[in-house]
Amino acid sequence: MSPVTPSARAAGRPRASSRAMLEEAAGELFFERGYAATSVADITARAGVSRNTFFNYFGAKSDLLWSTFDATVATLGESLTDPRHDDGTVRGTARAALMEVAGALRPDNVSLAFTHADTMGLADELRRSAAVRASDVAVVLTSFAVMKGVEPLRAEVAGAAYAGALVAAVGEWSRSGAVRTSLCEVLAEALAPVEGALP
């Protein structure tokens, strides 16, 4: 999702896929009209694809903001069970897995959304969709902690805290200039107050 104009897009190289076309079209329209005033039909018309194609890639308009984040975070469960991250503690393993996710996340849709939330008129939507992402990450972390023997209530609280730290770090990283800032460094700072929640 990039803030390029249709004429600029036409002068550049061909777009790679329907997903990329939809993300690019959405970025243009969110800048031009604002998030709330842009419909899925507007996005598909600008991208030149069908409504069905949109829903093959995205469940809702807000998912366009998080597509790269979602794809990257989908690897968290696998990272948590990777022996390379197991330092003998639940805390250390969770931290290492989150750091791997952070290291793989590239400045893209979500960083653009956080940076231009007011311009695009999506601040409220971004808060709601961020909460959904934090909840999804928390479920993965909680399940891992319970599997490792952490008492369920503590695991749930810790999972929410760690997930909140990840999403908060992504927001801060984006607003600080994602291209110039290390998400891993921001995440380390965000995790510092909550790491004691896991043994």
Side-chain angles (χ1 to χ4, degrees):
M1 189 172 71
S2 59
V4 296
T5 63
S7 58
R9 183 183 66 225
R13 62 181 176 79
R15 292 172 295 185
S17 68
S18 294
R19 174 188 282 272
M21 292 164 67
L22 286 161
E23 291 175 348
E24 187 173 300
E28 294 168 2
L29 289 164
F30 294 164
F31 270 96
E32 291 169 16
R33 304 179 186 180
Y35 178 84
T38 300
S39 68
V40 169
D42 294 330
I43 295 167
T44 57
R46 174 67 64 88
V49 301
S50 70
R51 183 179 175 85
N52 285 343
T53 298
F54 179 93
F55 288 108
N56 283 340
Y57 291 108
F58 306 104
K61 183 172 68 169
S62 62
D63 291 344
L64 284 157
L65 308 173
W66 295 90
S67 58
T68 301
F69 178 91
D70 291 342
T72 306
V73 168
T75 65
L76 177 60
E78 185 178 340
S79 293
L80 286 165
T81 57
D82 188 328
R84 293 177 301 128
H85 299 146
D86 188 353
D87 71 345
T89 69
V90 181
R91 178 190 308 175
T93 303
R95 177 189 174 89
L98 286 170
M99 285 296 177
E100 182 171 75
V101 167
L105 189 62
R106 294 290 165 260
D108 204 344
N109 305 15
V110 72
S111 55
L112 187 69
F114 273 109
T115 304
H116 298 286
D118 292 335
T119 303
M120 294 182 179
L122 53 75
D124 290 341
E125 178 56 46
L126 193 56
R127 281 192 292 272
R128 284 190 290 270
S129 54
V132 169
R133 268 68 190 182
S135 178
D136 290 345
V137 172
V139 168
V140 175
L141 291 167
T142 299
S143 297
F144 168 73
V146 169
M147 181 184 70
K148 290 294 186 178
V150 178
E151 188 271 325
L153 178 59
R154 180 175 182 179
E156 186 172 351
V157 171
Y162 276 58
L166 174 62
V167 173
V170 169
E172 178 62 23
W173 169 65
S174 302
R175 290 184 293 267
S176 299
V179 175
R180 303 182 305 275
T181 310
S182 163
L183 177 54
C184 289
E185 290 178 8
V186 179
L187 178 58
E189 185 178 350
L191 284 172
V194 303
E195 283 194 288
L198 285 173

